Amino acid sequence: MCNSVLNNVFAAHPTWDSEESGFVAHKKTVFEEALHKVEEERHDYDSNIECVTRTIQLLEPIVKRLETMTMEEQLNYSPDPRLGGQSEAIYKRAIYKLYSRTIGRTVIDRLFDNTSAVAPVLLYRLKSIRERWKAAQRQWNVV
């Protein structure tokens, strides 16, 4: 019975392409393409929210420490280049996303030059943008 149901003679392949060209990726419909784009945007949003959250976690201890210092100590204070984290990339990415790359560089320079003036404002701005992004994310989840 096995030989009667098996096809050992005919091999079919798509007519729009030859076998020499290699693997042909699945052609997506308009709906699949839109779904893929939405998923990419959601992933991007999730990673940006996570990055901003990590930056907030780095800045909060610095701002709390500044609140306990005298004015003279605040003026002379300069944080670690990594802001107490493992890398500079996290907070730089968040600041560049919040501002543009050129303005972000200026903000980072000012953060290290005048920490007592910039850190609280930057922390407030990061928290507000995180809440706005999370609210947008919750709306998307409802839809």
Side-chain angles (χ1 to χ4, degrees):
M1 182 174 151
C2 293
N3 286 332
S4 66
V5 294
L6 279 178
N7 177 11
N8 291 335
V9 179
F10 182 72
H13 61 84
T15 57
W16 68 82
D17 205 6
S18 69
E19 290 180 355
E20 290 89 32
S21 68
F23 177 73
V24 177
H26 170 70
K27 294 190 179 196
K28 295 178 181 161
T29 65
V30 176
F31 306 108
E32 291 171 328
E33 196 66 43
L35 184 62
H36 183 69
K37 184 178 177 188
V38 166
E39 287 298 321
E40 280 184 0
E41 288 175 356
R42 291 184 87 159
H43 175 72
D44 216 22
Y45 241 71
D46 289 342
S47 63
N48 286 331
I49 289 171
E50 183 66 27
C51 185
V52 167
T53 302
R54 297 279 183 231
T55 305
I56 289 170
Q57 290 172 349
L58 293 173
L59 280 176
E60 280 181 331
I62 293 172
V63 170
K64 287 184 180 181
R65 186 178 313 143
L66 287 170
E67 290 172 353
T68 62
M69 293 180 175
T70 65
M71 267 309 241
E72 187 177 315
E73 290 173 331
Q74 286 179 1
L75 293 174
N76 294 330
Y77 178 74
S78 182
D80 174 40
R82 295 177 298 183
L83 298 180
Q86 295 178 352
S87 168
E88 297 176 15
I90 294 172
Y91 73 84
K92 283 184 177 181
R93 179 178 165 214
I95 292 172
Y96 290 157
K97 188 70 179 173
L98 191 59
Y99 304 97
S100 65
R101 185 163 291 281
T102 54
I103 295 172
R105 284 189 194 121
T106 306
V107 169
I108 292 169
D109 291 341
R110 298 290 181 268
L111 177 64
F112 291 107
D113 292 343
N114 192 0
T115 307
S116 61
V118 176
V121 175
L122 181 60
L123 181 63
Y124 174 78
R125 170 101 184 187
L126 286 167
K127 284 182 176 181
S128 66
I129 201 75
R130 180 183 61 176
E131 290 310 312
R132 191 167 12 140
W133 287 351
K134 280 187 172 185
Q137 189 180 40
R138 283 191 296 272
Q139 287 177 334
W140 288 348
N141 288 338
V142 169
V143 172

